[in-house]
Amino acid sequence: MSAEQANHKRIGMEVSFAVAEAVKMLEVEAIAAYPITPQTHIVEELSQMVADGDLDAEYIPVESEHSAMSACLGTSLAGARTYTATSSQGLALMNEVLFVASGLRLPIVMTIVNRSLSAPLSIWGDHSDIMSIRDVGWLQFFAENGQEAFDLTICAFKVAEDKRVLLPTGVNLDGFSVSHVVEPMLIPDPKLVRDFVPSYEPQLRADPADPVMIGPIGIPEIYTEAHMARDVALIQSRKLIDEVFADFEKVFGRRYHALESYRADDAEVIVMAMGGMAETAMGAVDTLRNEGIKAGLVHIRVWRPFPFDDLRAMLKNAELVLVIDRALCAGGPGGPVASEVRSALYPLEKRPQVACQIAGLSGRDVRALHIVQMLKRSMAQAEAGELPEYELHNVREVAQ
Protein backbone atom coordinates (compact mmCIF):
# COMPACT_ATOMS: atom_id res chain seq x y z
CA MET A 1 0.00 0.00 0.00
CA SER A 2 1.32 3.45 -0.83
CA ALA A 3 1.47 6.28 1.66
CA GLU A 4 -1.43 7.95 -0.15
CA GLN A 5 -3.54 4.82 0.08
CA ALA A 6 -2.94 4.64 3.83
CA ASN A 7 -5.30 7.61 4.28
CA HIS A 8 -2.61 9.82 5.70
CA LYS A 9 -3.30 13.39 6.67
CA ARG A 10 -0.36 15.74 6.12
CA ILE A 11 -0.19 17.84 9.28
CA GLY A 12 2.30 20.33 10.67
CA MET A 13 2.89 19.21 14.25
CA GLU A 14 5.49 19.48 17.00
CA VAL A 15 7.33 16.17 17.14
CA SER A 16 6.65 15.66 20.87
CA PHE A 17 2.91 15.99 20.18
CA ALA A 18 3.18 13.52 17.29
CA VAL A 19 4.72 10.95 19.64
CA ALA A 20 1.84 11.51 22.06
CA GLU A 21 -0.59 11.08 19.15
CA ALA A 22 0.95 7.71 18.30
CA VAL A 23 0.60 6.64 21.95
CA LYS A 24 -3.07 7.66 21.86
CA MET A 25 -3.72 5.76 18.63
CA LEU A 26 -2.22 2.66 20.21
CA GLU A 27 -4.75 2.94 23.06
CA VAL A 28 -2.10 2.69 25.74
CA GLU A 29 -3.70 1.69 29.05
CA ALA A 30 -1.15 3.00 31.59
CA ILE A 31 1.17 6.01 31.48
CA ALA A 32 3.65 6.82 34.23
CA ALA A 33 4.72 10.44 34.02
CA TYR A 34 7.36 12.66 35.55
CA PRO A 35 8.32 15.86 33.72
CA ILE A 36 11.89 16.51 32.65
CA THR A 37 13.15 18.79 29.90
CA PRO A 38 13.04 18.24 26.95
CA GLN A 39 10.64 15.31 27.28
CA THR A 40 7.91 17.17 29.19
CA HIS A 41 5.77 18.13 26.19
CA ILE A 42 5.03 14.45 25.52
CA VAL A 43 3.58 13.62 28.95
CA GLU A 44 1.86 17.02 29.16
CA GLU A 45 0.06 16.28 25.89
CA LEU A 46 -0.88 12.81 27.06
CA SER A 47 -2.17 14.28 30.33
CA GLN A 48 -4.45 16.58 28.35
CA MET A 49 -5.67 13.68 26.18
CA VAL A 50 -6.60 11.66 29.26
CA ALA A 51 -8.23 14.66 30.96
CA ASP A 52 -10.29 15.38 27.83
CA GLY A 53 -11.44 11.78 27.58
CA ASP A 54 -9.65 11.25 24.26
CA LEU A 55 -7.51 8.49 25.76
CA ASP A 56 -8.88 5.97 28.27
CA ALA A 57 -5.72 5.29 30.28
CA GLU A 58 -4.50 5.33 33.84
CA TYR A 59 -2.31 8.45 34.02
CA ILE A 60 0.04 8.05 36.99
CA PRO A 61 1.92 11.21 38.03
CA VAL A 62 4.83 10.14 40.23
CA GLU A 63 7.45 11.88 42.35
CA SER A 64 10.52 10.73 40.41
CA GLU A 65 11.66 8.79 37.37
CA HIS A 66 12.65 5.87 39.60
CA SER A 67 9.01 5.71 40.64
CA ALA A 68 7.86 6.16 37.03
CA MET A 69 9.65 3.03 35.88
CA SER A 70 8.60 1.20 39.06
CA ALA A 71 4.98 2.07 38.27
CA CYS A 72 5.52 0.77 34.73
CA LEU A 73 6.66 -2.55 36.18
CA GLY A 74 3.42 -2.83 38.14
CA THR A 75 1.05 -1.86 35.34
CA SER A 76 2.82 -4.04 32.79
CA LEU A 77 2.75 -7.00 35.20
CA ALA A 78 -0.98 -6.35 35.65
CA GLY A 79 -1.38 -6.79 31.88
CA ALA A 80 -1.71 -3.17 30.76
CA ARG A 81 -0.12 -1.73 27.63
CA THR A 82 2.36 0.59 29.33
CA TYR A 83 4.23 3.72 28.25
CA THR A 84 6.48 6.39 29.72
CA ALA A 85 9.01 8.97 28.55
CA THR A 86 12.12 10.53 30.01
CA SER A 87 15.44 12.27 29.38
CA SER A 88 18.94 12.67 30.77
CA GLN A 89 19.12 12.62 34.59
CA GLY A 90 15.66 11.08 34.66
CA LEU A 91 16.92 8.11 32.67
CA ALA A 92 19.90 7.89 34.99
CA LEU A 93 17.58 7.85 38.00
CA MET A 94 15.62 5.00 36.39
CA ASN A 95 18.77 2.95 35.92
CA GLU A 96 18.18 0.41 38.69
CA VAL A 97 14.65 -0.38 37.53
CA LEU A 98 15.49 -0.59 33.82
CA PHE A 99 17.32 -3.86 34.45
CA VAL A 100 14.28 -5.26 36.28
CA ALA A 101 12.00 -4.44 33.33
CA SER A 102 14.14 -6.39 30.86
CA GLY A 103 14.86 -9.18 33.35
CA LEU A 104 11.12 -9.69 33.86
CA ARG A 105 10.54 -9.48 30.07
CA LEU A 106 7.99 -6.67 30.33
CA PRO A 107 7.12 -5.00 26.98
CA ILE A 108 7.14 -1.42 28.26
CA VAL A 109 7.75 1.24 25.61
CA MET A 110 9.59 4.43 26.53
CA THR A 111 10.49 7.51 24.52
CA ILE A 112 13.93 8.83 25.42
CA VAL A 113 14.35 12.42 24.33
CA ASN A 114 18.13 12.45 24.32
CA ARG A 115 19.88 15.05 26.44
CA SER A 116 23.30 15.49 28.01
CA LEU A 117 24.08 14.51 31.61
CA SER A 118 25.29 16.74 34.45
CA ALA A 119 27.71 18.14 35.48
CA PRO A 120 27.81 20.86 34.37
CA LEU A 121 24.05 21.07 34.13
CA SER A 122 22.82 21.10 30.55
CA ILE A 123 19.34 20.80 29.10
CA TRP A 124 20.50 20.41 25.49
CA GLY A 125 20.71 17.29 23.40
CA ASP A 126 23.38 14.66 22.92
CA HIS A 127 23.54 10.89 23.41
CA SER A 128 25.21 10.77 26.83
CA ASP A 129 22.02 9.59 28.51
CA ILE A 130 21.18 6.64 26.27
CA MET A 131 24.79 5.48 26.00
CA SER A 132 24.92 5.26 29.80
CA ILE A 133 22.23 2.56 29.68
CA ARG A 134 23.14 0.82 26.45
CA ASP A 135 23.51 -2.59 28.10
CA VAL A 136 20.32 -2.83 30.17
CA GLY A 137 18.70 -5.40 27.90
CA TRP A 138 16.21 -3.09 26.15
CA LEU A 139 15.66 -2.87 22.40
CA GLN A 140 16.76 0.58 21.30
CA PHE A 141 15.73 2.48 18.14
CA PHE A 142 16.91 5.90 16.91
CA ALA A 143 14.73 8.36 14.97
CA GLU A 144 16.17 11.02 12.69
CA ASN A 145 13.09 13.24 12.46
CA GLY A 146 9.49 13.60 13.54
CA GLN A 147 8.02 11.18 11.02
CA GLU A 148 10.38 8.49 12.18
CA ALA A 149 9.68 9.23 15.84
CA PHE A 150 5.96 8.72 15.15
CA ASP A 151 6.47 5.60 13.03
CA LEU A 152 9.04 3.95 15.29
CA THR A 153 6.78 4.44 18.32
CA ILE A 154 4.18 2.33 16.53
CA CYS A 155 6.75 -0.29 15.51
CA ALA A 156 8.19 -0.37 19.05
CA PHE A 157 4.91 -1.57 20.58
CA LYS A 158 4.46 -4.21 17.89
CA VAL A 159 7.95 -5.62 18.41
CA ALA A 160 8.02 -5.36 22.20
CA GLU A 161 4.67 -7.11 22.71
CA ASP A 162 5.28 -9.98 20.30
CA LYS A 163 5.46 -13.20 22.33
CA ARG A 164 8.69 -14.06 20.51
CA VAL A 165 10.32 -10.96 22.03
CA LEU A 166 8.61 -9.60 25.18
CA LEU A 167 11.25 -7.02 25.98
CA PRO A 168 11.06 -3.32 26.86
CA THR A 169 11.86 -0.99 24.00
CA GLY A 170 13.18 2.56 23.84
CA VAL A 171 12.68 5.02 20.99
CA ASN A 172 15.33 7.76 20.97
CA LEU A 173 14.97 11.22 19.46
CA ASP A 174 17.28 14.18 19.82
CA GLY A 175 16.28 16.72 22.43
CA PHE A 176 15.03 20.06 21.03
CA SER A 177 16.59 19.69 17.56
CA VAL A 178 14.00 16.96 16.85
CA SER A 179 11.59 16.90 19.79
CA HIS A 180 10.59 20.57 19.67
CA VAL A 181 10.57 21.09 15.91
CA VAL A 182 7.28 21.52 14.06
CA GLU A 183 7.45 19.27 11.01
CA PRO A 184 5.05 18.30 8.23
CA MET A 185 4.12 14.72 9.05
CA LEU A 186 1.98 12.03 7.50
CA ILE A 187 -0.49 10.95 10.18
CA PRO A 188 -2.39 7.78 9.25
CA ASP A 189 -5.95 6.76 9.96
CA PRO A 190 -5.99 5.60 13.63
CA LYS A 191 -7.85 2.45 12.61
CA LEU A 192 -4.91 1.39 10.46
CA VAL A 193 -2.59 1.85 13.45
CA ARG A 194 -4.86 -0.22 15.70
CA ASP A 195 -5.13 -2.93 13.04
CA PHE A 196 -1.34 -2.96 12.71
CA VAL A 197 -0.79 -3.20 16.48
CA PRO A 198 -3.75 -5.12 17.91
CA SER A 199 -4.73 -5.04 21.57
CA TYR A 200 -2.06 -6.28 23.95
CA GLU A 201 -2.47 -9.86 25.08
CA PRO A 202 -0.09 -10.35 28.02
CA GLN A 203 1.71 -13.69 28.11
CA LEU A 204 2.43 -13.37 31.83
CA ARG A 205 0.04 -11.62 34.15
CA ALA A 206 -0.02 -11.05 37.89
CA ASP A 207 -3.35 -12.30 39.20
CA PRO A 208 -4.43 -11.70 42.82
CA ALA A 209 -6.56 -14.85 42.60
CA ASP A 210 -3.53 -16.92 41.71
CA PRO A 211 -0.58 -15.33 43.54
CA VAL A 212 2.95 -16.13 42.42
CA MET A 213 6.38 -14.79 43.35
CA ILE A 214 7.83 -12.51 40.65
CA GLY A 215 11.46 -11.43 40.54
CA PRO A 216 12.82 -13.56 43.38
CA ILE A 217 16.50 -13.87 44.21
CA GLY A 218 18.60 -15.44 41.45
CA ILE A 219 21.06 -17.78 43.06
CA PRO A 220 24.35 -18.47 41.22
CA GLU A 221 22.95 -21.73 39.82
CA ILE A 222 20.32 -19.88 37.74
CA TYR A 223 21.50 -16.26 37.38
CA THR A 224 23.69 -16.87 34.31
CA GLU A 225 20.98 -18.84 32.55
CA ALA A 226 18.44 -16.08 33.20
CA HIS A 227 20.74 -13.53 31.59
CA MET A 228 21.46 -15.85 28.70
CA ALA A 229 17.72 -16.27 28.06
CA ARG A 230 17.25 -12.50 27.94
CA ASP A 231 20.25 -12.06 25.65
CA VAL A 232 19.01 -14.75 23.28
CA ALA A 233 15.60 -13.08 23.12
CA LEU A 234 17.23 -9.71 22.45
CA ILE A 235 19.46 -11.03 19.66
CA GLN A 236 16.68 -13.06 18.07
CA SER A 237 14.37 -10.04 18.14
CA ARG A 238 16.29 -8.78 15.10
CA LYS A 239 14.35 -11.11 12.80
CA LEU A 240 11.06 -9.86 14.20
CA ILE A 241 12.18 -6.23 13.86
CA ASP A 242 12.86 -6.81 10.16
CA GLU A 243 9.43 -8.43 9.80
CA VAL A 244 7.70 -5.51 11.50
CA PHE A 245 9.54 -2.94 9.38
CA ALA A 246 8.53 -4.85 6.22
CA ASP A 247 4.91 -5.11 7.37
CA PHE A 248 4.92 -1.41 8.26
CA GLU A 249 5.87 -0.57 4.68
CA LYS A 250 2.97 -2.66 3.33
CA VAL A 251 0.48 -0.73 5.46
CA PHE A 252 1.93 2.77 5.66
CA GLY A 253 4.27 3.01 2.66
CA ARG A 254 7.50 3.80 4.55
CA ARG A 255 10.34 1.29 4.96
CA TYR A 256 12.92 1.20 7.75
CA HIS A 257 16.02 -0.96 8.20
CA ALA A 258 18.31 -1.69 11.13
CA LEU A 259 21.13 0.00 9.22
CA GLU A 260 20.51 2.51 6.45
CA SER A 261 22.76 4.17 3.91
CA TYR A 262 22.98 7.15 1.56
CA ARG A 263 25.22 7.12 -1.55
CA ALA A 264 27.31 4.41 0.12
CA ASP A 265 27.29 1.69 -2.58
CA ASP A 266 30.61 2.71 -4.15
CA ALA A 267 31.88 4.86 -1.30
CA GLU A 268 35.53 4.68 -0.29
CA VAL A 269 35.01 6.81 2.81
CA ILE A 270 31.94 6.45 5.03
CA VAL A 271 30.46 8.77 7.63
CA MET A 272 28.50 7.07 10.42
CA ALA A 273 26.04 8.96 12.59
CA MET A 274 22.90 8.36 14.63
CA GLY A 275 19.74 10.33 15.24
CA GLY A 276 19.14 13.75 13.73
CA MET A 277 22.77 14.22 12.75
CA ALA A 278 22.32 11.60 10.02
CA GLU A 279 20.21 14.05 8.01
CA THR A 280 22.87 16.74 8.34
CA ALA A 281 25.47 14.22 7.18
CA MET A 282 23.58 13.68 3.93
CA GLY A 283 24.35 17.29 3.01
CA ALA A 284 28.00 16.74 3.86
CA VAL A 285 28.11 13.65 1.64
CA ASP A 286 26.63 15.64 -1.26
CA THR A 287 29.29 18.32 -0.81
CA LEU A 288 32.09 15.75 -0.74
CA ARG A 289 30.73 13.99 -3.82
CA ASN A 290 30.69 17.33 -5.68
CA GLU A 291 34.39 17.63 -4.82
CA GLY A 292 35.09 14.21 -6.33
CA ILE A 293 35.45 12.37 -3.02
CA LYS A 294 33.64 9.03 -3.01
CA ALA A 295 31.85 9.54 0.30
CA GLY A 296 28.75 7.86 1.69
CA LEU A 297 26.67 7.75 4.85
CA VAL A 298 25.67 4.81 7.01
CA HIS A 299 23.44 5.41 10.00
CA ILE A 300 22.20 3.11 12.70
CA ARG A 301 18.45 2.82 13.22
CA VAL A 302 18.55 -0.19 15.59
CA TRP A 303 21.20 0.21 18.27
CA ARG A 304 20.11 -2.86 20.25
CA PRO A 305 20.31 -5.56 19.09
CA PHE A 306 23.41 -4.26 17.31
CA PRO A 307 23.29 -5.14 13.58
CA PHE A 308 26.75 -6.75 13.34
CA ASP A 309 26.24 -8.67 10.08
CA ASP A 310 24.66 -5.73 8.27
CA LEU A 311 27.49 -3.47 9.33
CA ARG A 312 30.18 -5.87 8.13
CA ALA A 313 28.46 -6.26 4.77
CA MET A 314 27.92 -2.54 4.32
CA LEU A 315 31.45 -1.43 5.27
CA LYS A 316 33.56 -4.27 3.87
CA ASN A 317 34.69 -2.33 0.78
CA ALA A 318 35.29 1.01 2.50
CA GLU A 319 38.80 2.29 3.17
CA LEU A 320 37.95 4.65 5.99
CA VAL A 321 34.94 4.97 8.31
CA LEU A 322 34.43 8.15 10.34
CA VAL A 323 32.12 7.58 13.30
CA ILE A 324 30.66 10.76 14.77
CA ASP A 325 29.74 10.09 18.38
CA ARG A 326 27.59 12.36 20.52
CA ALA A 327 28.84 10.88 23.80
CA LEU A 328 32.25 10.41 25.40
CA CYS A 329 33.42 7.21 27.12
CA ALA A 330 35.51 8.99 29.75
CA GLY A 331 38.87 7.30 30.17
CA GLY A 332 37.90 4.67 27.63
CA PRO A 333 37.83 4.20 23.86
CA GLY A 334 36.38 7.66 23.16
CA GLY A 335 33.06 7.17 21.43
CA PRO A 336 30.73 4.30 22.34
CA VAL A 337 29.48 3.86 18.77
CA ALA A 338 33.00 3.89 17.33
CA SER A 339 34.01 1.29 19.89
CA GLU A 340 31.18 -1.01 18.77
CA VAL A 341 32.00 -0.44 15.10
CA ARG A 342 35.65 -1.36 15.64
CA SER A 343 34.58 -4.49 17.49
CA ALA A 344 32.15 -5.46 14.73
CA LEU A 345 34.75 -5.02 11.99
CA TYR A 346 37.59 -6.81 13.78
CA PRO A 347 36.80 -10.31 12.36
CA LEU A 348 37.06 -9.05 8.75
CA GLU A 349 40.25 -10.05 6.98
CA LYS A 350 40.23 -6.74 5.10
CA ARG A 351 38.71 -4.03 7.22
CA PRO A 352 38.55 -0.24 6.93
CA GLN A 353 40.32 2.08 9.31
CA VAL A 354 37.94 3.59 11.86
CA ALA A 355 38.20 7.22 12.93
CA CYS A 356 36.20 8.69 15.80
CA GLN A 357 35.24 12.31 16.19
CA ILE A 358 33.12 13.32 19.16
CA ALA A 359 30.89 16.25 18.29
CA GLY A 360 27.60 17.88 19.18
CA LEU A 361 27.87 17.42 22.94
CA SER A 362 25.19 19.36 24.81
CA GLY A 363 23.58 20.52 21.61
CA ARG A 364 26.64 22.26 20.17
CA ASP A 365 26.00 22.94 16.49
CA VAL A 366 27.26 20.38 13.99
CA ARG A 367 26.64 21.53 10.45
CA ALA A 368 27.33 19.81 7.17
CA LEU A 369 30.47 21.96 6.83
CA HIS A 370 31.77 20.59 10.14
CA ILE A 371 31.23 17.00 9.00
CA VAL A 372 33.12 17.75 5.79
CA GLN A 373 35.98 19.15 7.89
CA MET A 374 35.97 16.12 10.19
CA LEU A 375 36.08 13.64 7.33
CA LYS A 376 38.87 15.48 5.48
CA ARG A 377 40.89 15.67 8.70
CA SER A 378 40.43 11.94 9.31
CA MET A 379 41.39 11.15 5.69
CA ALA A 380 44.63 13.13 6.10
CA GLN A 381 45.39 11.45 9.44
CA ALA A 382 44.74 8.00 7.97
CA GLU A 383 46.97 8.69 4.95
CA ALA A 384 49.76 9.81 7.27
CA GLY A 385 49.28 6.79 9.51
CA GLU A 386 48.45 9.09 12.42
CA LEU A 387 44.85 8.23 13.16
CA PRO A 388 44.18 8.82 16.88
CA GLU A 389 41.83 6.72 19.01
CA TYR A 390 39.44 9.68 19.01
CA GLU A 391 39.27 13.45 18.95
CA LEU A 392 36.80 16.00 20.24
CA HIS A 393 35.78 18.16 17.30
CA ASN A 394 36.05 21.91 17.47
CA VAL A 395 36.93 21.95 21.17
CA ARG A 396 38.66 24.92 22.78
CA GLU A 397 41.71 24.44 24.98
CA VAL A 398 40.80 24.81 28.66
CA ALA A 399 42.85 24.96 31.84
CA GLN A 400 43.28 21.56 33.49
Side-chain angles (χ1 to χ4, degrees):
M1 180 182 288
S2 69
E4 290 74 18
Q5 291 171 318
N7 294 324
H8 285 103
K9 289 183 179 177
R10 190 173 182 84
I11 299 174
M13 184 182 292
E14 183 183 311
V15 173
S16 293
F17 296 165
V19 171
E21 187 68 21
V23 173
K24 184 183 79 171
M25 289 185 183
L26 289 157
E27 298 181 321
V28 164
E29 297 164 296
I31 301 162
Y34 189 80
I36 180 170
T37 303
Q39 168 280 132
T40 307
H41 284 190
I42 298 175
V43 292
E44 280 181 344
E45 183 71 2
L46 287 168
S47 172
Q48 193 65 54
M49 291 173 175
V50 173
D52 292 343
D54 296 330
L55 174 60
D56 183 14
E58 291 294 327
Y59 189 89
I60 310 169
V62 292
E63 86 285 2
S64 74
E65 289 88 352
H66 190 282
S67 295
M69 187 48 59
S70 298
C72 288
L73 296 186
T75 57
S76 187
L77 278 168
R81 177 171 284 169
T82 297
Y83 172 83
T84 191
T86 194
S87 299
S88 185
Q89 305 299 129
L91 185 64
L93 187 54
M94 283 182 178
N95 185 282
E96 177 188 354
V97 197
L98 297 173
F99 289 90
V100 183
S102 59
L104 293 179
R105 307 287 298 276
L106 300 175
I108 300 160
V109 171
M110 175 165 65
T111 303
I112 302 127
V113 183
N114 300 132
R115 182 190 124 184
S116 54
L117 290 166
S118 293
L121 177 64
S122 166
I123 63 167
W124 292 275
D126 65 30
H127 294 165
S128 302
D129 53 1
I130 187 61
M131 293 304 163
S132 74
I133 61 112
R134 65 180 182 176
D135 299 323
V136 294
W138 286 50
L139 282 79
Q140 297 176 26
F141 300 159
F142 272 80
E144 288 178 42
N145 53 43
Q147 187 69 61
E148 294 184 3
F150 179 88
D151 294 348
L152 291 175
T153 300
I154 295 169
C155 293
F157 278 96
K158 191 170 180 66
V159 174
E161 294 175 356
D162 191 288
K163 63 182 178 183
R164 293 169 287 176
V165 177
L166 291 178
L167 281 168
T169 302
V171 178
N172 293 272
L173 56 145
D174 292 346
F176 292 113
S177 60
V178 175
S179 65
H180 282 54
V181 173
V182 175
E183 293 186 14
M185 277 180 272
L186 297 171
I187 304 298
D189 185 330
K191 184 177 183 307
L192 281 179
V193 174
R194 290 193 283 273
D195 289 344
F196 183 69
V197 187
S199 299
Y200 175 43
E201 296 182 4
Q203 303 297 307
L204 300 172
R205 191 173 200 165
D207 182 358
D210 183 20
V212 296
M213 181 179 290
I214 295 172
I217 188 169
I219 58 177
E221 283 74 14
I222 66 164
Y223 185 87
T224 302
E225 285 73 17
H227 273 251
M228 184 193 73
R230 183 185 64 183
D231 196 44
V232 168
L234 187 55
I235 292 169
Q236 291 184 346
S237 71
R238 174 58 202 286
K239 182 180 179 183
L240 194 278
I241 292 168
D242 289 343
E243 286 179 18
V244 168
F245 285 168
D247 291 344
F248 187 90
E249 181 186 27
K250 293 174 186 172
V251 178
F252 301 101
R254 295 180 289 280
R255 180 60 192 263
Y256 297 105
H257 299 86
L259 208 63
E260 298 181 4
S261 65
Y262 176 70
R263 305 185 75 171
D265 289 346
D266 64 338
E268 296 172 352
V269 290
I270 298 281
V271 176
M272 289 196 68
M274 294 169 70
M277 194 183 291
E279 288 196 338
T280 307
M282 290 181 187
V285 166
D286 290 340
T287 299
L288 290 160
R289 286 276 178 173
N290 290 338
E291 296 179 12
I293 297 173
K294 287 187 175 181
L297 167 70
V298 171
H299 58 104
I300 299 172
R301 169 93 53 231
V302 179
W303 173 236
R304 286 292 185 274
F306 191 82
F308 285 100
D309 291 341
D310 305 62
L311 190 78
R312 289 167 186 146
M314 205 168 276
L315 301 183
K316 65 181 181 181
N317 294 323
E319 296 174 2
L320 174 69
V321 177
L322 167 64
V323 181
I324 304 176
D325 261 292
R326 295 194 67 188
L328 172 64
C329 296
V337 180
S339 178
E340 302 249 346
V341 170
R342 288 187 178 114
S343 175
L345 297 178
Y346 187 77
L348 295 181
E349 186 174 341
K350 178 182 177 298
R351 54 182 177 269
Q353 296 189 76
V354 178
C356 175
Q357 291 276 338
I358 295 167
L361 299 184
S362 184
R364 183 175 289 190
D365 256 1
V366 178
R367 302 177 184 176
L369 172 64
H370 299 140
I371 295 174
V372 170
Q373 292 170 348
M374 283 188 269
L375 184 61
K376 289 183 175 178
R377 178 176 174 82
S378 296
M379 291 170 64
Q381 290 172 330
E383 187 174 352
E386 297 174 349
L387 209 55
E389 290 290 333
Y390 69 93
E391 287 185 326
L392 272 71
H393 172 70
N394 197 26
V395 64
R396 298 186 300 275
E397 294 290 333
V398 294
Q400 301 299 310

